[in-house]
Amino acid sequence: RPRVLSGMQPSADSLHLGNYIGALRQWVAMQETHETFYFVADRHSITVDFDPAQLRHRTRATAAQFIAAGVDPERSTLFVQSQVPEHSELTWVLGCITGFGEASRMTQFKDKSAKGGAERASVGLFTYPVLMAADILIYQAHQVPVGDDQRQHLELTRDLAERFNQRFGRTFRLPEGFIPPQAARIYDLQDPAAKMSKSGSHPQGIVELLDEPGPLRKKIMRAVTDTGSEIRADKENKPGVTNLLNIHSALSGEPVPELEKRFDGAGYGTFKKELAEVVIDTLAPIRERAKELLADPAELDRLLAAGAARARAQASATLAQVRERIGFLAPP
Ligand code: ATP
Ligand code: MG
């Protein structure tokens, strides 16, 4: 079985429908076909402003939502990134074979630091792609699901792996990126030109996995629609309705052309009412299970500790090889 690795940042209390449709659902499915490693990327979250108590809560909440959505801690190696210290040591080593110019070309840093100015951005944000390379390479992953925004970082990961292998001897597997087949992109309900995002969306534009049915229904009924009243997929002219059709189809399994036919002549209101029920039916069991898990943080922490122990077994094997190759003395 090919080994796959993926993570999400604990950058909000709740994940959203885009995370679920675009990633989490695929993670669950891949448990059938892959050896799966999934993690909460808390080290990445401290590259920008954060609050410690909030981070602690969000780390547990993110892990709870993974499990609630169907990630099975028995079948998958599920862990919190910072509980595996080996990533940090490998990051240092990889940082020392990364060119300053090479790192400076990463567009995510340019984008994320543009707001406050590069002067105020942290060095951690700058070296984020090197940490990401370490996350991937330390597990000898065959495949990494990547969205458009992470493609450049995966290229860097492969470059670093090749460079290290050439210079010090074959150590790392070269990971392949792939876009999961059913991973539709989901857009902000209030601004269908922007992707739904934990940190960037309007509060009313994000469908959160932990939303209660009442607020959920309200958000969907108030989603911006387009001029005209036709329920038809047309990304150019009707981005709002198209997004809602895609959400319905992704969750109900009913193809978009059939939805168009079934709602032919119906108003936006009728369609949205049904969509709200589809979303509520999908998310209710996830929300409830996540709440149960969060009500018992000791048990959740125990599950995560077991996952971290499994992850460390693999990570420390790779790291021991790295240390030996580059001439570090074995740790006492
Ligand atoms: P942040 O705003 O903190 O970057 P995010 O909402 O973009 O948060 P990430 O943690 O960056 O979420 O991404 C987690 C996973 O969810 C990734 O695999 C990403 O491709 C996927 N994802 C994020 N947003 C969407 C979306 N709107 N539609 C589909 N997939 C998404
Ligand atoms: Mg993101």
Side-chain angles (χ1 to χ4, degrees):
R1 285 191 170 199
R3 183 176 291 173
V4 71
L5 172 97
S6 197
M8 280 191 213
Q9 293 192 43
S11 44
D13 292 345
S14 179
L15 299 177
H16 57 72
L17 202 52
N19 298 138
Y20 178 71
I21 292 172
L24 199 44
R25 215 167 52 142
Q26 327 292 331
W27 289 12
V28 174
M30 281 187 289
Q31 295 180 121
E32 308 294 332
T33 49
H34 289 70
E35 187 192 351
T36 45
F37 283 69
Y38 299 129
F39 67 100
V40 181
D42 57 344
R43 281 197 189 93
H44 286 284
S45 286
I46 67 167
T47 57
V48 292
D49 281 342
F50 70 100
D51 170 80
Q54 203 173 45
L55 177 65
R56 191 171 293 117
H57 170 71
R58 289 176 169 183
T59 298
R60 291 195 179 108
T62 302
Q65 289 169 83
F66 290 176
I67 298 171
V71 172
D72 176 354
E74 295 290 324
R75 296 167 76 194
S76 291
T77 302
L78 169 65
F79 63 100
V80 173
Q81 187 189 30
S82 67
Q83 291 190 310
V84 184
E86 286 79 4
H87 296 218
S88 293
E89 192 173 342
L90 182 58
T91 301
W92 180 257
V93 174
L94 293 176
C96 293
I97 62 164
T98 307
F100 184 79
E102 188 176 34
S104 306
R105 284 192 290 276
M106 295 294 123
T107 55
Q108 176 181 282
F109 177 76
K110 290 189 205 166
D111 295 345
K112 285 202 180 180
S113 63
K115 280 184 214 156
E119 265 319 301
R120 284 185 39 210
S122 70
V123 172
L125 185 63
F126 184 71
T127 56
Y128 178 118
V130 182
L131 174 58
M132 179 171 155
D135 297 336
I136 297 169
L137 298 177
I138 207 160
Y139 296 105
Q140 308 286 356
H142 295 88
Q143 293 181 356
V144 188
V146 277
D148 282 342
D149 51 335
Q150 296 301 318
R151 205 169 306 205
Q152 196 187 25
H153 292 166
L154 185 68
E155 267 322 299
L156 177 72
T157 301
R158 290 170 55 89
D159 288 347
L160 293 177
E162 252 179 324
R163 192 173 305 159
F164 188 99
N165 287 348
Q166 256 165 29
R167 180 143 166 221
F168 302 108
R170 193 151 177 79
T171 307
F172 297 119
R173 171 173 291 135
L174 255 59
E176 304 283 342
F178 77 101
I179 312 255
Q182 315 269 330
R185 241 190 167 13
I186 305 301
Y187 295 87
D188 188 325
L189 299 186
Q190 290 299 318
D191 175 12
K195 88 165 188 86
M196 194 178 283
S197 136
K198 287 195 240 83
S199 55
S201 291
H202 308 81
Q204 290 306 309
I206 323 178
V207 177
E208 300 196 338
L209 300 197
L210 301 183
D211 274 339
E212 299 287 335
L216 242 176
R217 198 170 282 122
K218 227 177 245 166
K219 283 184 188 176
I220 290 174
M221 295 309 291
R222 290 183 186 162
V224 302
T225 32
D226 315 286
T227 47
S229 61
E230 253 181 308
I231 295 162
R232 169 169 63 80
D234 175 351
K235 207 164 173 325
E236 286 277 281
N237 303 305
K238 297 174 82 83
V241 174
T242 305
N243 187 38
L244 299 182
L245 279 165
N246 286 336
I247 293 172
H248 191 310
S249 177
L251 299 182
S252 66
E254 192 170 344
V256 170
E258 279 174 33
L259 288 169
E260 289 174 330
K261 240 183 266 164
R262 194 152 66 73
F263 285 98
D264 186 29
Y268 288 152
T270 313
F271 171 63
K272 284 175 165 176
K273 244 182 231 156
E274 182 178 300
L275 175 63
E277 297 318 309
V278 168
V279 173
I280 288 166
D281 287 351
T282 308
L283 298 190
I286 299 177
R287 184 187 72 245
E288 268 148 39
R289 181 80 186 106
K291 274 192 176 161
E292 280 167 24
L293 288 158
L294 278 170
D296 188 357
E299 169 62 11
L300 186 59
D301 287 358
R302 205 191 52 73
L303 283 174
L304 293 172
R310 264 158 69 185
R312 286 195 78 179
Q314 172 64 55
S316 58
T318 303
L319 188 65
Q321 213 180 4
V322 167
R323 294 179 56 102
E324 199 272 323
R325 293 269 151 88
I326 63 173
F328 282 175
L329 302 185

